[in-house]
Amino acid sequence: MRIIGKGLLFKVALLFFLVLSLGAHAQKQTFAIGDSSFLLNGKPYIIRCGELHYTRIPREQWRQRLQMCRAMGLNTVCAYLFWNYTEKEQGKFDWSGQADAAAFCRLAQEEGLYVILRPGPYSCAEWEFGGFPWWLLKDKKMSVRTQYPGYLAASKKYLLEVGRHLAPLQITNGGNILMVQVENEYGSFGSDKEYIGIIRDNLKEAGFNVPLFTCDGPVQLKNDVRPDIFAAVNFGGDPAGGFKALRAIQAHGPLLCSEFYPGWFDSWGRPHHTGDSKKIVDNLKWMLEHKASFSIYMVHGGTTFGTYSGANAPPYLPQTSSYDYDAPINEAGNATQKFYDIRNLFANYLQAGETLPDVPAPATAQNVSGIQFTSVAAVWNNLPQPVRADSAVLMEDLDQGYGAVLYRTQLPAGGKAVLRFKDVHDYAPVYMNKKLIAIIDRRKGNFTVEIPARANAATLDVLVEATGRVNYGGLMHDRKGIHGTVILDDGKKETALTKWSNYSIPLGEKNLPVTYKPLDSQKNPSAAFYKATFTLNSTKDTYLDMRKWNKGLVWVNGICLGRYWNIGPTQTMYLPGCWLKKGTNEVVVFDVLGNAKPELQGLNKPILDMLTEKQAQAHRKPSQTWILDESGAYYKGSFADNRDWKTVSFKPVAAKYFCLEALNEFKGQPYTSVAEIILLDDKGREIPRSEWKVVFADSEELQGDDGNAANAFDLQFTSIWHTEWQNRAPKHPHQIVIDLGKSYTVGGMKLLPRQDGPNGRIKDYRLYFSQSLFKGL
């Protein structure tokens, strides 16, 4: 046995004492909510926070992103947890690797940053199913964000697991977690404040003893704020108005904007969003001058890798894998001009003893050529054993979370016919005898397919690809596949198709096992996997150029980068250099339609704003003209000049079609803008908007911004219908015509003006109702 010398023994004892002392000092850290400010160790503290998600950043890059946050002038970072990233299989929690939230928080602490934790169980964040695990939907009675017993039991188990993993990292335990959010923006979904209390109590039971809080937009706050839970407000502009709404329901306490938007997310087929840097800086300055705390959502968006990008509805709009968000720190982790503008602002508002560290050097990207595809695996040739049933089986009922399902049945011989689907989620090439005859796209709402004449019985194949479960609003129970009975209508009789073979095709982290063949064996391209190798001398980032492909997913060295779709706006896929290796690399591309000439290259910069479907969702055909005048209006009125909800009531009327006509706006400009439209029935209840469709809008700004008319009922109060302004500015009046899906008795309307400014705010208006489509349309 070796004897320790007295000197060494003294040093060990001294080191042990210092460790204990530092630990005891860390235990004394406190964070509290005061009457007018946050209190860090008893002193007023302004939270300068920014949101970033560890799941959207390769683990190898976490530290660099956190250093960028600190260099911009943040003192705190905010992070969602996504339940479906941790409990991918029911009852099996995994916090390892990319899912190690505790490691992310510890890195933040090492970089001098506190953490605001947002564990859900609902997160939204343009993330698949809002963060809920897909397996919840195997329960046909499942009702998320409610007091449904099955949901409460599963979510409590998850939150207790979150506490086991992360409660030790609270500031009260020497860690850096300052606050924990209860649920998320619940007021835009419901008003059951008892439910919010249950989630709060579960977080407490999980061991969280730091301040808890809820958050919502200005107009939704009243739905979920409880006097016993601190409240924050979310907005993208007009901080004075946002905080006024907060003060109306919470008279005391510090001001906190828990989501301040410097940009916005992108959806497939819609323009790339950007945020004006000067406006953002001006709003941040206002908050700093008024000693208000804030969190920039997002300070760094990153990438929604794999199959975790979500969707909004109505209308159904899947989101891109790029989550660049036009954030101050771009998708690759580099500083933008917006970053430097904010950094320069923050330099004037640092707290005592604070300094700004240097900005980390930017990462450079490389061009990559020489990607040669040599093999292909057609889905037709690699089908698993099917599940046979009289009806099409939904993906969740096949015990499958992500990917596609091939539905196969037989069509009898006969003349031309029409195939009618009740609903298809989400994108489905339709084949007869393996020949493509149609594509069903849920975004467009057309679920009818023309079937050619058949001299003999024919094989019908419908390949349904899931492109992201709805993550926001009342349509989140978004089960994938063919819904309901499929009807064959030959004009004489209607026949329900039966005897379906249901083939499960998992994609993403788990994939369909396939056998590859030489590329030159491909005859008629259809859904297939294409494999290539390429050699690198450098492991810098690159952006895969997907413009010569159709729609699908990409894997590099076994890691799923996410989804691509050539309609845009995103035409590239971010490939982090840390996932590459010097020497030989492998890429696999799944294309839902196949590719006769597969080609691929890497670019040194992204393409985020190239639409190839620019007019596909414009809601005015050349043949359409609005011809009704004042004599045909059912109701007319004037709105007040403010951003509050407008509610009007009138004598109930039965209608399937509705038109809002804006006659002018308060500033005398030729524009119209609307954030949300809600119709009320004769008892004052909201009429469901899940089947609404815009059948006509006289004007929409689709080039300079996303002013699509369907934004008027997409549940997102920050998106708007806006008439054209970039290349032309047609004068009033402006009309939006909506098909309600079926006839309702309508007795009122609620309208929310745009929330970020007065442009286009409607002054005088007319309302029209009809059981049939208006003349001229």
Side-chain angles (χ1 to χ4, degrees):
M1 180 176 179
R2 185 173 179 180
I3 306 287
I4 300 178
K6 291 182 179 181
L8 180 58
L9 184 61
F10 173 77
K11 291 179 181 179
V12 170
L14 179 61
L15 179 61
F16 181 69
F17 173 77
L18 288 172
V19 169
L20 286 178
S21 298
L22 288 171
H25 176 72
Q27 294 287 339
K28 294 178 182 178
Q29 292 280 313
T30 62
F31 182 79
I33 298 172
D35 289 338
S36 60
S37 62
F38 293 110
L39 300 172
L40 180 64
N41 298 322
K43 297 180 180 180
Y45 192 72
I46 302 296
I47 297 173
R48 300 190 309 272
C49 182
E51 182 116 7
L52 72 169
H53 303 147
Y54 62 92
T55 54
R56 285 178 158 132
I57 308 165
R59 180 167 181 162
E60 297 89 339
Q61 298 177 351
W62 284 355
R63 186 181 295 277
Q64 185 271 347
R65 301 300 194 269
L66 293 166
Q67 290 172 342
M68 289 292 293
C69 290
R70 187 71 187 89
M72 197 179 82
L74 300 181
N75 55 30
T76 307
V77 292
C78 191
Y80 275 126
L81 303 183
F82 299 113
W83 180 0
N84 58 12
Y85 206 77
T86 295
E87 193 180 2
K88 297 177 182 180
E89 297 182 45
Q90 189 169 7
K92 297 181 179 179
F93 293 95
D94 183 2
W95 296 98
S96 64
Q98 189 70 36
D100 194 344
F104 180 80
C105 291
R106 292 189 189 100
L107 278 179
Q109 188 169 22
E110 291 175 14
E111 296 301 329
L113 293 161
Y114 292 104
V115 169
I116 294 175
L117 195 66
R118 308 216 281 173
Y122 167 71
S123 299
C124 187
E126 294 69 61
W127 190 269
E128 153 79 20
F129 199 9
F132 290 129
W134 69 268
W135 44 260
L136 289 174
L137 296 176
K138 293 197 288 184
D139 179 351
K140 295 297 184 182
K141 297 180 180 180
M142 178 53 62
S143 182
V144 299
R145 309 185 77 185
T146 71
Q147 295 191 48
Y148 175 66
Y151 167 72
L152 286 181
S155 62
K156 181 176 182 178
K157 184 178 180 181
Y158 157 71
L159 290 175
L160 293 178
E161 175 67 14
V162 170
R164 185 187 69 81
H165 191 65
L166 291 169
L169 301 183
Q170 296 173 98
I171 191 170
T172 48
N173 296 327
N176 60 333
I177 296 176
L178 294 180
M179 302 176 72
V180 176
Q181 183 175 295
V182 180
E183 237 268 357
N184 181 57
E185 295 181 324
Y186 178 72
S188 62
F189 177 85
S191 56
D192 184 358
K193 297 182 182 182
E194 183 179 343
Y195 162 72
I196 293 297
I198 291 171
I199 299 301
R200 183 269 315 274
D201 293 345
N202 290 343
L203 285 166
K204 285 186 173 182
E205 186 177 340
F208 289 106
N209 52 32
V210 294
L212 305 179
F213 72 102
T214 59
C215 75
D216 232 312
V219 297
Q220 303 104 321
L221 283 167
K222 62 182 183 296
N223 293 335
D224 65 347
V225 168
R226 291 172 53 116
D228 55 352
I229 305 177
F230 180 74
V233 64
N234 300 341
F235 51 74
D238 186 17
F243 287 129
K244 180 180 178 182
L246 180 61
R247 276 289 177 250
I249 54 91
Q250 182 173 269
H252 303 288
L255 296 174
L256 172 61
C257 174
S258 48
E259 290 187 10
F260 173 70
Y261 310 113
W264 200 242
F265 61 87
D266 289 340
S267 300
W268 293 114
R270 295 289 186 90
H272 173 58
H273 288 95
T274 58
D276 179 73
S277 185
K278 181 180 184 305
K279 176 183 173 183
I280 292 158
V281 169
D282 288 346
N283 285 329
L284 288 170
K285 182 177 181 180
W286 189 98
M287 287 188 273
L288 289 166
E289 288 287 339
H290 290 79
K291 300 188 184 306
S293 294
F294 52 82
S295 180
I296 299 171
Y297 187 102
M298 303 286 296
V299 68
H300 169 60
T303 310
T304 312
F305 298 110
T307 52
Y308 290 103
S309 53
N312 278 344
Y316 180 76
L317 281 176
Q319 290 127 12
T320 62
S321 289
S322 171
Y323 202 61
D324 178 82
Y325 218 88
D326 196 36
I329 303 168
N330 69 16
E331 186 173 10
N334 291 329
T336 65
Q337 184 58 50
K338 192 178 295 182
F339 173 98
Y340 286 106
D341 292 343
I342 295 173
R343 173 181 162 92
N344 291 338
L345 171 70
F346 287 172
N348 299 315
Y349 293 90
L350 301 179
Q351 297 182 190
E354 222 183 340
T355 58
L356 288 179
D358 293 336
V359 179
T364 57
Q366 61 180 324
N367 292 307
V368 176
S369 58
I371 302 177
Q372 301 293 326
F373 286 89
T374 57
S375 53
V376 61
V379 168
W380 304 128
N381 301 330
N382 289 276
L383 294 175
Q385 288 297 311
V387 173
R388 304 188 190 280
D390 280 340
S391 61
V393 179
L394 293 171
M395 179 180 287
E396 294 78 7
D397 296 331
L398 294 171
D399 199 26
Q400 178 185 345
Y402 311 100
V405 177
L406 178 68
Y407 297 96
R408 174 173 290 173
T409 190
Q410 295 297 305
L411 295 172
K416 291 182 179 180
V418 171
L419 204 59
R420 290 202 302 272
F421 298 81
K422 179 182 178 182
D423 207 355
V424 175
H425 294 192
D426 299 304
Y427 183 89
V430 180
Y431 298 86
M432 190 175 79
N433 292 334
K434 296 186 178 180
K435 180 180 179 181
L436 182 67
I437 59 172
I439 294 176
I440 296 173
D441 184 346
R442 182 182 174 188
R443 297 176 309 133
K444 299 179 179 180
N446 184 2
F447 302 111
T448 300
V449 172
E450 294 183 358
I451 301 294
R454 303 157 315 283
N456 302 299
T459 298
L460 175 72
D461 285 304
V462 185
L463 179 62
V464 181
E465 183 209 11
T467 56
R469 291 181 179 86
V470 174
N471 55 255
Y472 183 83
L475 299 178
M476 286 195 298
H477 301 86
D478 184 13
R479 296 173 175 89
K480 298 303 186 183
I482 294 176
H483 287 247
T485 303
V486 182
I487 301 295
L488 180 67
D489 184 353
D490 64 2
K492 298 178 181 178
K493 67 175 183 177
E494 297 182 352
T495 303
L497 298 184
T498 59
K499 298 182 179 179
W500 290 88
S501 296
N502 303 271
Y503 297 89
S504 177
I505 304 173
L507 298 169
E509 295 171 342
K510 295 181 179 179
N511 295 315
L512 175 74
V514 297
T515 300
Y516 286 93
K517 295 183 179 180
L519 182 61
D520 57 14
S521 68
Q522 177 177 247
K523 303 301 180 185
N524 299 309
S526 60
F529 298 85
Y530 298 85
K531 186 163 65 173
T533 57
F534 57 100
T535 302
L536 293 176
N537 296 319
S538 168
T539 57
K540 294 180 179 180
D541 295 349
T542 192
Y543 300 88
L544 296 182
D545 182 357
M546 306 307 299
R547 286 176 291 180
K548 295 184 178 180
W549 296 79
N550 297 297
K551 184 180 191 299
L553 298 97
V554 177
W555 297 260
V556 172
N557 295 329
I559 300 173
C560 186
L561 300 186
R563 297 186 174 102
Y564 69 91
W565 197 350
N566 63 6
I567 64 173
T570 307
Q571 297 289 350
T572 53
M573 303 190 76
Y574 174 57
L575 173 50
C578 57
W579 290 348
L580 293 168
K581 53 189 177 183
K582 292 183 179 180
T584 302
N585 295 264
E586 179 185 85
V587 59
V588 172
V589 180
F590 172 76
D591 195 310
V592 72
L593 296 175
N595 191 332
K597 296 180 179 180
E599 298 178 27
L600 191 62
Q601 62 177 336
L603 305 179
N604 62 9
K605 59 183 179 180
I607 302 173
L608 301 177
D609 57 355
M610 181 182 291
L611 284 171
T612 62
E613 194 188 47
K614 291 183 180 179
Q615 299 301 320
Q617 296 193 40
H619 296 105
R620 182 172 187 172
K621 299 175 183 177
S623 61
Q624 290 181 311
T625 304
W626 180 257
I627 61 176
L628 295 184
D629 57 20
E630 183 177 4
S631 63
Y634 184 80
Y635 184 87
K636 57 185 177 181
S638 301
F639 292 131
D641 186 10
N642 57 50
R643 52 180 269 175
D644 300 336
W645 276 102
K646 319 299 180 190
T647 303
V648 296
S649 300
F650 38 80
K651 183 180 178 180
V653 56
K656 183 177 184 289
Y657 294 90
F658 157 72
C659 173
L660 166 66
E661 182 175 39
L663 303 179
N664 47 45
E665 63 114 64
F666 283 95
K667 297 177 69 175
Q669 300 178 116
Y671 313 128
T672 290
S673 64
V674 173
E676 288 291 307
I677 298 172
I678 295 173
L679 293 181
L680 308 174
D681 67 14
D682 54 342
K683 293 181 175 59
R685 299 170 301 195
E686 292 187 8
I687 289 173
R689 296 187 288 173
S690 57
E691 296 183 7
W692 285 19
K693 297 176 184 176
V694 177
V695 294
F696 175 78
D698 78 295
S699 179
E700 304 166 275
E701 180 53 57
L702 301 175
Q703 306 302 320
D705 203 352
D706 180 9
N708 195 295
N711 290 340
F713 52 87
D714 67 352
L715 310 181
Q716 297 281 347
F717 294 178
T718 50
S719 63
I720 59 173
W721 167 43
H722 199 297
T723 55
E724 293 161 278
W725 56 262
Q726 178 163 284
N727 297 321
R728 58 190 297 268
K731 297 180 180 180
H732 287 92
H734 295 302
Q735 304 89 19
I736 178 174
V737 178
I738 298 172
D739 178 351
L740 307 183
K742 64 180 182 180
S743 180
Y744 291 92
T745 301
V746 185
M749 179 188 74
K750 294 173 65 178
L751 182 144
L752 183 69
R754 66 181 297 177
Q755 295 294 286
D756 62 346
N759 281 2
R761 186 178 291 165
I762 299 172
K763 180 181 180 184
D764 302 312
Y765 65 91
R766 299 174 187 150
L767 305 181
Y768 300 79
F769 296 92
S770 178
Q771 288 284 39
S772 58
L773 191 58
F774 300 103
K775 291 182 180 180
L777 304 183

